[in-house]
Amino acid sequence: MLSPEILASAQKSVLCWLATADAQGQPNVSPKEIFTFYDAEHLLIANIASPRSVRNIAVNPRVCVSFVDVFVQKGFKVLGAARNFRRRDMDYEKWAAPLTAMASPRFAIRSVIVIRVTKCEPILAPSYQLYPLETTEQSQAASAMRAYGVQPLVDRI
């Protein structure tokens, strides 16, 4: 389900965005900064400060997670069913171990959101579709760097 291309894209992302909905269908999107893939079917997200996401998952496990490289303006949308594992739950340690290794002592992991992936779709900035002959990853990155006021790193050997 999770191809090497999707895994590589997620590794380039500083944040992922978790979308949930409550029992009335009200959506909520929130950034998550400690996340990883457990295997080809499971995405793990550390619940550090996400009480609304956890409440929503308890009543509606359907979620969407997005990863976007803000420079090339490409990424992936991952759909699936989520479950929140608390410290007292069986298998908590199994799911928490990869995230605990990533987290610094500054971030206490309250629980682990485990998403069983059911579908993946690419995310592309509209320019790729509207102007395919002139839009490249390089042109998108150059435009984003101008917009953000940043310069590319130059390798120093």
Side-chain angles (χ1 to χ4, degrees):
M1 177 63 61
L2 296 165
S3 70
E5 181 184 12
I6 295 168
L7 298 173
S9 177
Q11 288 176 340
K12 293 179 190 175
S13 299
V14 176
L15 298 173
C16 70
W17 298 88
L18 174 64
T20 61
D22 65 18
Q24 292 74 42
Q26 180 65 44
N28 179 64
V29 177
S30 61
K32 309 299 180 208
E33 63 182 303
I34 300 176
F35 58 92
T36 192
F37 291 97
Y38 185 79
D39 57 26
E41 296 180 2
H42 294 93
L43 168 61
L44 309 177
I45 299 175
N47 168 21
I48 296 168
S50 304
R52 182 173 292 155
S53 295
V54 168
R55 280 194 309 269
N56 287 353
I57 288 167
V59 297
N60 182 355
R62 294 173 52 200
V63 300
C64 177
V65 180
S66 296
F67 306 92
V68 176
D69 180 322
V70 296
F71 292 105
V72 299
Q73 300 171 35
K74 287 183 175 181
F76 286 91
K77 174 170 58 169
V78 176
L79 302 161
R83 182 171 167 205
N84 186 53
F85 283 83
R86 295 166 297 218
R87 291 182 183 275
R88 66 179 179 267
D89 293 334
M90 185 187 295
D91 289 336
Y92 170 84
E93 290 300 325
K94 169 184 136 178
W95 299 119
L99 297 169
T100 302
M102 297 170 66
S104 72
R106 292 180 48 187
F107 297 106
I109 297 175
R110 298 173 192 270
S111 63
V112 176
I113 299 168
V114 178
I115 300 164
R116 187 180 52 77
V117 177
T118 57
K119 186 175 182 181
C120 298
E121 298 175 1
I123 296 173
L124 292 173
S127 296
Y128 286 104
Q129 297 165 358
L130 297 174
Y131 307 102
L133 298 178
E134 60 193 73
T135 304
T136 64
E137 288 187 1
Q138 293 77 16
S139 69
Q140 290 295 91
S143 175
M145 287 186 187
R146 281 191 305 276
Y148 297 137
V150 298
Q151 297 293 318
L153 291 175
V154 179
D155 289 335
R156 296 181 186 153
I157 296 179

